[in-house]
Amino acid sequence: MTFVSGPVTVRVPASSANLGPGFDTLGLALSLYDEITAEVTEDSENDGEQGLAFSIEGEGSDNIPRDRTHLVVSSMNRAFDVLGESPRGLRMHFRNVIPHGRGLGSSAAAIVGGLVAARALVEGGEAKLDDDALLALANEIEGHPDNVAAALLGGLTIAWTALGIGKAVRLDVLADVSVFIPPVSVSTHTARGVLPAKVSHADAAANAGRAALLVAALVGGRADVLFAATEDRLHQDYRAPEMPESHEFMSSLRADGIPAIISGAGPAVLAFASGSDLSAHTPAGWAYRELGVDSEGATLIS
Ligand code: HSE
């Protein structure tokens, strides 16, 4: 038999990329999860097209396309192509919790969740598409490896590309993390479009040093250097016009000595801190959440 019988469910974490200095490299998996349930069916549509049945609850359930352009479905089909399989139909249920367009890795979760679900639906799928190959495929789809690495592997991830192939190492960390989520979204495409093609050697050197320091701070428990380790000169200031309130809020937290950064391409703000003194800073209309670091990454839960 080509496909397993019955549905599979994948739980996949949110993630925060960059973490300040580690642009397109560092990722942190967060304890906020989407769930993807998928089952292969024999229901092709009349014209021979793949038959798709969806139900979506939570984030985006009103405005997400329910067709093959859905990021989970297109990612599943990329995995099926690699695995040499072509299901006639798919029945899916998505429980979306990760906010969309906020820099918390919702698209990475969709891509990784779709790839892992498709792999699990194919008999012997893991032998044909191991985690390294799956990460490379996820990076191809997303275009940069930081969020997809964290969503797949959990923990703190250091990702890079070599000859276009996405790779990552995963490290265990314990950290207090809070996120402040504004009511507005900013597309990653827009946020990447405002970045300069060239940066100064001094800025590049500063970020390289801070990114290395941040790994030491998080993995080595050096909270005393977290503030310095979360400084960035390569993306946050350039993106400020696209997310002025977020940039101003992050700057105000930093002025109070709190290690705060723009989460991924924004506009959510992440702080390596928690507690009522911190939550009291939440701007009106924003949501505040205290989260842990997810240590497992994408997981098959049934
Ligand atoms: N590293 C990426 C960026 C993360 O900042 O554009 C967003 O997906």
Side-chain angles (χ1 to χ4, degrees), residues 19-88:
L19 306 178
F23 183 74
D24 276 2
T25 289
L26 296 181
L28 190 67
L30 303 173
S31 61
L32 187 67
Y33 303 93
D34 282 352
E35 275 180 24
I36 293 167
T37 300
E39 180 175 13
V40 170
T41 66
E42 289 302 315
D43 312 331
S44 63
E45 287 180 357
N46 291 339
D47 57 3
E49 293 269 310
Q50 190 178 36
L52 300 174
F54 281 88
S55 58
I56 303 175
E57 62 175 296
E59 285 288 325
S61 56
D62 296 337
N63 53 13
I64 296 179
R66 285 165 166 77
D67 58 29
R68 65 169 65 190
T69 66
H70 189 290
L71 190 53
V72 173
V73 179
S74 58
S75 301
M76 289 182 76
N77 282 326
R78 286 287 292 272
F80 288 132
D81 284 348
V82 169
L83 293 165
E85 304 296 345
S86 182
R88 287 158 65 95

Side-chain angles (χ1 to χ4, degrees), residues 16-24 26 207 210-211 214 229-236 250 254 260-264 270 272:
S16 184
N18 305 332
L19 306 178
F23 183 74
D24 276 2
L26 296 181
N207 266 53
R210 298 301 197 283
L214 183 53
T230 46
E231 285 168 0
D232 161 68
R233 296 199 206 166
L234 293 186
H235 60 100
Q236 292 179 162
M250 174 197 72
R254 293 190 69 85
I261 49 128
I262 300 290
S263 181
L270 181 146
F272 286 104

Side-chain angles (χ1 to χ4, degrees), residues 65-223:
R66 285 165 166 77
D67 58 29
R68 65 169 65 190
T69 66
H70 189 290
L71 190 53
V72 173
V73 179
S74 58
S75 301
M76 289 182 76
N77 282 326
R78 286 287 292 272
F80 288 132
D81 284 348
V82 169
L83 293 165
E85 304 296 345
S86 182
R88 287 158 65 95
L90 291 170
R91 183 180 306 124
M92 290 154 294
H93 179 71
F94 304 148
R95 201 169 72 81
N96 292 342
V97 173
I98 305 169
H100 289 178
R102 302 299 199 280
L104 292 168
S106 63
S107 56
I111 293 165
V112 167
L115 295 175
V116 171
R119 178 173 74 177
L121 285 170
V122 175
E123 290 281 3
E126 276 209 42
K128 296 186 204 157
L129 183 66
D130 65 13
D131 275 357
D132 289 349
L134 194 145
L135 176 62
L137 191 52
N139 173 55
E140 255 180 65
I141 298 169
E142 176 89 316
H144 42 90
D146 44 3
N147 285 100
V148 291
L152 177 64
L153 302 174
L156 173 70
T157 48
I158 306 171
W160 72 100
T161 53
L163 302 176
I165 297 178
K167 298 171 183 286
V169 294
R170 177 199 176 285
L171 297 164
D172 275 317
V173 294
L174 283 177
D176 265 352
V177 178
S178 302
V179 289
F180 298 86
I181 306 167
V184 292
S185 62
V186 172
S187 82
T188 299
H189 182 74
T190 302
R192 292 181 84 81
V194 297
L195 297 178
K198 294 186 177 174
V199 296
S200 77
H201 196 279
D203 287 350
N207 266 53
R210 298 301 197 283
L213 187 63
L214 183 53
V215 174
L218 291 174
V219 176
R222 291 289 305 270

